[in-house]
Structures are given as structure tokens and as C-alpha cells.
Amino acid sequence: MIQLDRPRGETFLVVLELVALVGEIAINLIALEFLSWGSHGATAAIAGIVSWCYILTLAVLRLYRFNSRFTQIPKLWNHTALLYGINWLATILLFRSALVHPRSTQAQVLMVTNFVLVTLLALIALTSRKGNKAVILEHEDGIEPSREPLASVLSLATFTWVDAIVWHGFNNTYELSAVWNLVAKDRAAAIIEDFRQLQKTSKLAWHLLKYFKGGLLVQAFWAVIGGFFTFVPTMILKVFLEFVEDPEATPVNAAWFYIILLALSSCFEAVASGQALWIGRKICLRLRAVIIGEIYAKSLRRKAAAGTDTILGTKKPISDSDPPPRNGLIQTFRSLRRKKKTKSKIADVSNTSKNDSDSQVNVGTIINLMAVDSFKVGEVCAYLHFLWASTPVQFVMCVVLLYRVLGYSSFVSIALMVAVMPLNLFIAKQFSKTQKKIMAATDARIHTTNEVLTNIRIIKYFAWEIRFGQIVNEKRRTELKALRNRYILWTSAATVWFGVPLLITFFSFMIYTLVEKKPLIPSVAFTALSLFSILRIPLDQLADMIAHVQECKVSVDRIEEFLNEEETEKYTQLTTSSRTEGGDTMIGFDKATLTWGSKDLVSSGEAKAFRMIDINTRFSIGNLNLVVGPTGSGKTSLLMALLGEMTLFQGRVHLPGSHTKEDLFEDPQTGLTESVAYCAQQAWLVNDTIKQNILFATPLDESRYKAVLAACALERDLQILGSGDQTLVGEKGIALSGGQKQRISLARALYCNARHILLDDCLSA
């Protein structure tokens, strides 16, 4: 459901702005006419008239923005709101001067009135909806839309727009219907589609930085502002202590002004830091959506291979001491019962396959990439402004201010920081090495656990629980050992990073008092202590970010290595014309040579890969075609070659499969589309009901559905099952027998409206 939400007082607020702007112009005209602000104030009055007339013009354009002539002028509201804020900040100091040192009664009245009107304009900009325009809200699947587009600038700055959902969670138990939906631009589908519009020309890390550079720069802007405001309380403390030491040197009203400024500076620093973190979190979620989407898409485009498993980050396949190969844990356990001689032969074969270019990462590693690596990369980018924006600004500001307070004694702090830099670099390298070991151990543990859960029925049948429990525990112990080493390294690094500020404080004060012979008065001592305390913040952030960036680098390299794996050529192979000269559909091969190995592997002659050479075959359209042969003769490979899963060296493969589902049209006579359905030798089911496994997200045709059930002999099975076709099959069909799974898989292929069906020994179970 689409809803158009208009702000309250959409036109009234603009009219109120116009009245206030006319009042501002009138005040400046009076000040210019009577020289209320003095002879030198005439220039200021003229400048005020010009600027307020310009803002008045913008406000009039906003009032008539529905006129077609002005619809192309972008972001008028943002422009006027920014000008209101700048004018309010400039007017504060003039307002204070008019109260403390009034030039005349008329000048004071004009300035007070000017301040009131500017404050009114600033409040309108802060409290009205950002843009003061109608917003389209989309209610999707009963989920409430986000309130962020409806929020005002003040609400966005203080995050009060989330109060409603927070109070709801405080008073009630959260349900999915109570959680707001994401803004359209923050949804995964929109982000991934936009990301793929940017052509990749460099490494993954630089490509991601290029895409998110806009958000990162805005985040850095707020981080720099927050970094500057961090030192305002310290400098105000210095001025206030100087006032306490010498009250005659500073007016009392100035002291009150400093106290008010102390509170305001903390508020500004909190707002700036909050916005930087908020933008970082949004980048984090968008980045995770991009990475997970790309990993998922890559897993669908990967080339089917039966090589060894690859450990990401090491550029080599696994050896005997690494996670089990693709033959599975069951076969691995059985192989443990063989003789040592057989083991040594297997080890030799494994070692000779280390250079196999067909090695791929396993399912456990892919899960780890989506769950762990994407999280680490996203979390680092959420706080990346600490490393390249906030920390450098705070560090430079701290050194400069320490020099102004302590003089040459502050150079001790710089010398100590430079001396510690090699140690920081060494720690960073150790973090990188440790993280690689942790991720490799985590991959092995997830892969082993996944294998155990997949084959849990066989393990229970043969009472192998204890042995396989030991295998899983061994992988976990390896992971815990790597984690223990990382935390030991982290503790050692934290000791260094936290100890450096203490040494800097001690040696700086020692040089200041004993060498320079200067008195350590309160305005110097407390200000320096405050600066040293602030110095600990960037050093602490630097310590955290060095460790996390190294972890992020390892994860990005692992993700990129996976994304660079060889992809299937099916989408290229199947784009060739699959029709004869007469326009009829064609399925078959033209002088095709295919293999399961990669082109580099076979052309190098290092391995004797299975190949089908110079195949010329035409299958009869609309008739039953049988491929018969002994086990291992290549029947399945022939079907996989038709589907584009094998590597094509030369020749052509013809199969009508180059169009997407949306581009296919049903034949008005048969109701079928020019596409292909495939039923594999091993049944593939999703964790859903039997009915949904057969329909597979296609519309329900009751008569066709019943005919398919009868053709696949599923009617008796549905009578036996308590819930009929609403029975949940479980993960990989674990709740069904082998024959039932195979019949459901066959029913799915028959129910779809594809004209051609490839069956690979579909009755094998």
C-alpha cells in the first residue's frame, strides 16, 4: 500500500518564514536609515539587506515550488536552512554585545528583535520536516514504513525519531509487525543493483571504497568537527583557570559566557560524533548487503569441480593436516581403518594434487565468508573515521595545544610516539598473521560441523557419535588455541598503548619543571593533564583500528580470492543460437570437446582430466531420447555438458536456456515455454512443504498439480504422511525416504512449464 504523507503546516511555515524575512529586511533598513549600528555598521546593514533579500527569494520559490517553472531547482529547503543556521551563529555574538555594551536603546531593540526573528527562522528549520515536503510511504507485507523520512533536522540530530519504536519495545513484546521497514535506498536489492552499476577496475577493497566514498567523506566531515569540539572544553578550562588566578584580567560576563560555551561545545561534540557513528552504521549494513549478495551470486556462478578444498588466504589447497577433502567425513573415518601403507599412498596422491587449479573453497568456508568475514569488514567500515579522520585531527590538535601550554617540553611526547611506531607496526603484522590462522581454523571447524550435521543419520546408525564428536572438538580446540594467541597479543599491545600516555605525561612534566625551571601553575597543570587524557583517546582508537583493519584486510583478501575463483561458462555457451536454419529448436553438440578440468590444467598436460572429444549429436525434439551406458561412461557428464557445467574447449553446445524467466512466453496451444527442466540423480529439496517443493514459486494449477502427483506416484505417499502435501520435508529432505525425495524432485521438473526435461537416472532411489 502506498501512502502520501504531507507535513503539518506545509504552506503555513513558509508563509511564517516570509513574514520573518520581511521583518529582517525592515530591521536592516531602519538600521541603515538611522545609522543605529554606527557609521561602520552601515556596511553590515547593506550586507544584511542583500542576504535577507536573497533568502526571501528562495523562500518565495519554495512557496510556489509546485509551479512547473521551479520544479527543477533542487534542494531549496536545504539551502535556506543552512543560511538560517549560519545567521543564527553569527547573531549570537552580536546579541551578547548588544546586551553587555549597548550602543543605544534603539540599537539594542533592533538587535534583540533581529535575534528573535533569526532564532524563529532557525527553529522553523530545525523542527519542521526535512525538506518540508510530502513523502511517499510504502506499507509492505503489513510492516510499518520507517519514520526517518518524516523526521525533522533536530530529530535526526538527536535521534528522537526512533523514540516511538523504543517505547513500544519497552511496553510490549516485539513482533515482526512492530518493527519498521527499511528506507527504500537501504534495502539490499536496491544497494546491490546500484553497486553493480559501478564497473570494477581495481581490487575489491578499492572498489568498495570508491562506491562508498560519498558516505565515508560525510562521515569524516562529522568526525573532524567532533574532533575539534573535543578540545573546546579543555581550552575553556584553561581560560577559566586563568580567570581564577587573575580575576581582574577577565570580565565577569566573559566568564559566564565561557561556562555557557562549555556546555554548548559538549552538545555539539556529541551531535557530531553521533552523526559520524550513525553514518558509519548505515555504511556497515550496506557494505554487508553488498558483500553477502556478491558471495551468494558467486556461489551460483562457480564452476562445478571435484578438486581439493582451498584454504583462503594461503593460495594453496589443503593437505592431510587440513580440513577433510570433498569426499566427506564418512569416507575419511572409514579410511582411518585402512593400513598405514594405504594411508601413505593416499597422502602421496594428495600431495601431488596441491597444484590442482580446480581446487575450490567448501561450503563451510562460504558460510564463514557470509557470517564472519562480511561482519568484520562491515564493522571496520562503521568505525573507519576513527582511523583516518578523528584520530589524526585529535592527535595534531593535541600536539599543537600541548606545545602552546608546555612549550618545548611537549616535544618529549612527540619523540616517545615516534619511538613507539616500529613496535606498533610489528604488532599490526602479528595481528594479520594471527587473524589468518583464526579464519582458517574457523573455516575448518564450520566445514567439519556442517559435514557432521549433514550425515548425522549415518553417524547415529553406526554409533560413531563419540569419534565424530572428537573430530569436531579437535577442530574447535585448534580454533580456541588461535583465539587464545590473539588475545595474548591483544593484551600485550594494550599494555603498550595504555602505558605510552603515562610515560608522556611523566617525562613532559619532568622536563617542564626540572629542565626548563618553570612553575607548574594550575592553569598549566590541569590543562596539560586534560590534554594528556585526551591524547589517550586517539592512541586507544589507533590501537583498536590497527588490529581491526588488519582483521578486515584478511577478510577482504579472503572474499576477493573467493570472488576470483573460476566461473562456469554456461552463460556464455548457452548464448549461441539454439535454432536450425528453419527456425526449429535444436538441442545437441557440434564438434564439441568438453572436460571437467579447467583449460589451463588440461592444456598444460599436468593431469589427465576426463574429456569428451569431438561430439556431434542431435537430440530429437518432442520425443524420448535415451542415453545408455555402463557406470562411469559419461552419461551424467553429457547432461551436465548440455547444461553448460563442463568446460567447452571447442565446438558448440545447443540448448534453449539463454533467456531469463521473465523473457519467456508460453505457447498458447501447449502452455509450455521454450526452456529446460532438470532432475538430478541425487534429489535436491528445500526446507519447506512438499507442495511448495513441487510448485517452486510458480502459480498453482490445481488440475496440473493433481496430474503430476498421479504421474509421479505421490498420491500414496501423501496418504501415508499425516499432513499430506503440507508436510515439511526438513533440511535436504531429511524427513523423507530416498524414494520419496526422488519422486518429489521429479514432480517439480514435471510441474514446471518447460518444454524440454533432462532426467538423470531420476528413479535411482
Side-chain angles (χ1 to χ4, degrees):
M1 183 178 69
I2 304 298
Q3 175 187 355
L4 183 65
D5 188 274
R6 292 190 174 277
R8 290 179 295 179
E10 182 179 9
T11 305
F12 171 75
L13 290 176
V14 181
V15 174
L16 185 60
E17 285 184 48
L18 294 176
V19 174
L21 290 171
V22 171
E24 285 288 349
I25 295 173
I27 290 173
N28 283 273
L29 287 173
I30 294 173
L32 179 62
E33 178 67 23
F34 297 100
L35 295 177
S36 301
W37 296 336
S39 57
H40 296 289
T43 304
I46 294 173
I49 294 171
V50 173
S51 62
W52 289 116
C53 286
Y54 172 70
I55 299 176
L56 178 64
T57 304
L58 297 179
V60 172
L61 291 178
R62 285 173 44 215
L63 183 62
Y64 294 99
R65 67 185 182 277
F66 299 109
N67 191 310
S68 60
R69 292 179 299 166
F70 304 118
T71 53
Q72 300 301 320
I73 303 177
K75 299 183 179 179
L76 285 176
W77 188 92
N78 293 351
H79 190 34
T80 53
L82 179 62
L83 293 176
Y84 292 155
I86 294 173
N87 276 283
W88 185 79
L89 292 175
T91 307
I92 290 179
L93 298 177
L94 298 176
F95 175 67
R96 172 189 172 275
S97 299
L99 293 179
V100 178
H101 305 292
R103 181 181 296 273
S104 64
T105 303
Q106 184 187 43
Q108 189 177 43
V109 171
L110 289 176
M111 186 55 65
V112 171
T113 308
N114 178 48
F115 179 74
V116 171
L117 291 178
V118 174
T119 303
L120 175 63
L121 292 171
L123 287 175
I124 291 175
L126 285 174
T127 57
S128 62
R129 178 184 298 179
K130 185 179 179 181
N132 193 29
K133 60 182 180 181
V135 175
I136 297 177
L137 300 178
E138 181 180 356
H139 297 261
E140 183 180 4
D141 298 330
I143 302 177
E144 290 292 322
S146 174
R147 297 293 184 269
E148 185 180 359
L150 309 179
S152 64
V153 175
L154 183 62
S155 180
L156 291 172
T158 57
F159 301 102
T160 54
W161 61 275
V162 300
D163 285 351
I165 194 171
V166 172
W167 280 109
H168 180 86
F170 179 78
N171 296 318
N172 306 282
T173 302
Y174 263 125
E175 300 291 342
L176 180 61
S177 58
V179 180
W180 297 342
N181 206 342
L182 289 173
V183 182
K185 63 181 180 181
D186 289 332
R187 297 178 187 176
I191 295 170
I192 294 173
E193 182 181 359
D194 186 51
F195 176 77
R196 289 172 180 169
Q197 301 299 320
L198 183 64
Q199 185 177 3
K200 183 179 179 182
T201 58
S202 57
K203 284 191 172 183
L204 178 62
W206 296 110
H207 187 58
L208 292 173
L209 287 174
K210 183 179 180 181
Y211 178 74
F212 290 104
K213 64 180 179 182
L216 291 173
L217 289 175
V218 175
Q219 182 191 31
F221 169 76
W222 284 111
V224 170
I225 293 178
F228 278 113
F229 275 107
T230 302
F231 294 93
V232 173
T234 299
M235 301 315 298
I236 293 177
L237 174 65
K238 181 177 183 300
V239 175
F240 192 76
L241 289 174
E242 290 175 350
F243 169 75
V244 173
E245 292 174 354
D246 187 7
E248 302 298 330
T250 306
V252 177
N253 59 72
W256 283 106
F257 175 73
Y258 294 145
I259 292 175
I260 296 173
L261 191 61
L262 182 65
L264 292 177
S265 63
S266 299
C267 294
F268 288 142
E269 192 272 335
V271 169
S273 300
Q275 291 300 310
L277 289 173
W278 166 247
I279 295 172
R281 298 309 304 176
K282 293 177 73 172
I283 294 175
C284 167
L285 293 177
R286 293 175 182 176
L287 182 60
R288 288 192 66 192
V290 168
I291 292 176
I292 293 175
E294 290 298 303
I295 293 173
Y296 186 79
K298 179 66 178 185
S299 65
L300 298 178
R301 299 194 307 267
R302 284 203 310 166
K303 189 176 183 63
T308 54
D309 293 335
T310 299
I311 299 178
L312 294 178
T314 59
K315 305 283 187 181
K316 66 177 182 179
I318 63 171
S319 60
D320 296 335
S321 60
D322 291 322
R326 289 177 184 259
N327 56 2
L329 283 175
I330 303 300
Q331 290 80 355
T332 302
F333 178 71
R334 289 171 177 170
S335 67
L336 294 175
R337 303 168 61 183
R338 299 176 184 174
K339 296 180 180 180
K340 293 183 179 180
K341 183 177 179 180
T342 306
K343 288 184 179 180
S344 62
K345 290 182 179 180
I346 294 175
D348 293 337
V349 173
S350 176
N351 290 331
T352 58
S353 65
K354 286 185 177 181
N355 294 325
D356 186 3
S357 63
D358 285 341
S359 61
Q360 290 183 333
V361 299
N362 51 51
V363 176
T365 303
I366 296 176
I367 295 173
N368 201 21
L369 289 174
M370 288 187 176
V372 179
D373 292 275
S374 64
F375 175 79
K376 287 186 177 296
V377 177
E379 285 297 303
V380 167
C381 290
Y383 304 102
L384 196 60
H385 62 284
F386 287 137
L387 181 63
W388 71 287
S390 178
T391 297
V393 169
Q394 291 182 353
F395 183 79
V396 172
M397 287 288 295
C398 195
V399 171
V400 171
L401 293 177
L402 278 173
Y403 175 74
R404 292 178 62 88
V405 174
L406 295 178
Y408 294 108
S409 300
S410 62
F411 290 153
V412 177
S413 61
I414 300 175
L416 284 174
M417 294 175 192
V418 172
V420 175
M421 285 183 64
L423 183 58
N424 287 335
L425 294 175
F426 172 77
I427 292 173
K429 291 181 180 179
Q430 295 304 312
F431 268 117
S432 179
K433 294 179 181 178
T434 305
Q435 186 62 22
K436 288 181 180 179
K437 294 179 180 178
I438 291 174
M439 298 310 298
T442 304
D443 288 345
R445 191 256 303 168
I446 293 178
H447 175 68
T448 304
T449 306
N450 184 63
E451 286 280 346
V452 169
L453 294 176
T454 302
N455 301 282
I456 190 65
R457 179 178 291 181
I458 298 175
I459 294 173
K460 298 290 289 185
Y461 283 165
F462 289 93
W464 288 344
E465 299 95 328
I466 297 177
R467 174 56 183 159
F468 279 93
Q470 293 174 351
I471 294 175
V472 174
N473 289 334
E474 180 62 30
K475 300 299 181 183
R476 180 57 177 165
R477 278 193 292 270
T478 303
E479 184 183 16
L480 289 175
K481 182 179 179 181
L483 286 170
R484 179 176 178 271
N485 293 335
R486 187 182 74 169
Y487 286 119
I488 291 175
L489 179 63
W490 175 262
T491 304
S492 303
T495 303
V496 174
W497 291 325
F498 281 104
V500 169
L502 297 176
L503 294 176
I504 290 174
T505 304
F506 173 76
F507 284 108
S508 297
F509 280 159
M510 185 181 69
I511 298 298
Y512 186 79
T513 56
L514 299 181
V515 178
E516 294 192 38
K517 305 294 184 180
K518 293 181 179 179
L520 197 61
I521 58 178
S523 60
V524 173
F526 287 105
T527 304
L529 285 174
S530 178
L531 290 173
F532 285 131
S533 177
I534 294 175
L535 181 61
R536 184 179 286 113
I537 297 175
L539 291 178
D540 184 27
Q541 292 173 349
L542 183 64
D544 283 335
M545 291 310 300
I546 286 176
H548 292 313
V549 166
Q550 290 297 326
E551 295 176 2
C552 174
K553 182 180 181 302
V554 173
S555 296
V556 170
D557 291 342
R558 283 161 49 84
I559 294 170
E560 184 169 24
E561 186 177 346
F562 170 71
L563 295 179
N564 289 334
E565 279 191 354
E566 188 175 1
E567 296 185 0
T568 178
E569 299 177 356
K570 64 189 302 181
Y571 303 107
T572 304
Q573 295 177 19
L574 300 179
T575 54
T576 58
S577 176
S578 297
R579 294 188 178 274
T580 62
E581 295 180 356
D584 297 328
T585 302
M586 179 171 51
I587 299 178
F589 304 92
D590 279 340
K591 297 181 180 180
T593 299
L594 305 106
T595 182
W596 281 113
S598 64
K599 293 182 179 180
D600 295 336
L601 180 65
V602 178
S603 60
S604 63
E606 294 181 2
K608 296 181 180 179
F610 174 82
R611 283 188 286 180
M612 294 188 294
I613 303 173
D614 201 20
I615 301 178
N616 278 293
T617 304
R618 286 288 186 277
F619 294 99
S620 178
I621 305 299
N623 298 312
L624 178 64
N625 297 264
L626 297 178
V627 180
V628 183
T631 302
S633 61
K635 302 184 297 297
T636 299
S637 296
L638 186 69
L639 294 182
M640 298 303 288
L642 272 177
L643 294 172
E645 294 295 340
M646 294 185 70
T647 302
L648 179 65
F649 275 86
Q650 59 186 14
R652 288 186 176 183
V653 178
H654 301 285
L655 188 76
S658 59
H659 298 287
T660 61
K661 188 176 181 180
E662 292 76 11
D663 297 333
L664 296 174
F665 299 96
E666 292 185 357
D667 189 308
Q669 296 181 353
T670 63
L672 302 177
T673 61
E674 198 64 46
S675 58
V676 177
Y678 172 65
C679 181
Q681 189 172 2
Q682 185 175 2
W684 181 85
L685 301 176
V686 295
N687 188 13
D688 207 332
T689 62
I690 294 176
K691 186 174 185 178
Q692 291 303 321
N693 269 278
I694 296 174
L695 298 180
F696 208 60
T698 57
L700 174 63
D701 185 341
E702 193 67 35
S703 60
R704 183 179 179 85
Y705 178 70
K706 291 181 179 179
V708 168
L709 293 180
C712 296
L714 280 170
E715 293 175 323
R716 176 60 180 166
D717 293 319
L718 297 182
Q719 293 175 1
I720 296 173
L721 297 172
S723 302
D725 61 1
Q726 297 301 315
T727 302
L728 289 172
V729 302
E731 189 67 31
K732 297 185 179 180
I734 195 171
L736 305 174
S737 66
Q740 290 172 334
K741 290 190 289 185
Q742 198 69 47
R743 288 192 289 275
I744 293 172
S745 181
L746 176 61
R748 179 173 60 237
L750 293 180
Y751 181 81
C752 75
N753 58 356
R755 183 185 176 190
H756 314 284
I757 300 179
L758 304 183
L759 303 177
D760 185 7
D761 196 8
C762 60
L763 303 179
S764 59

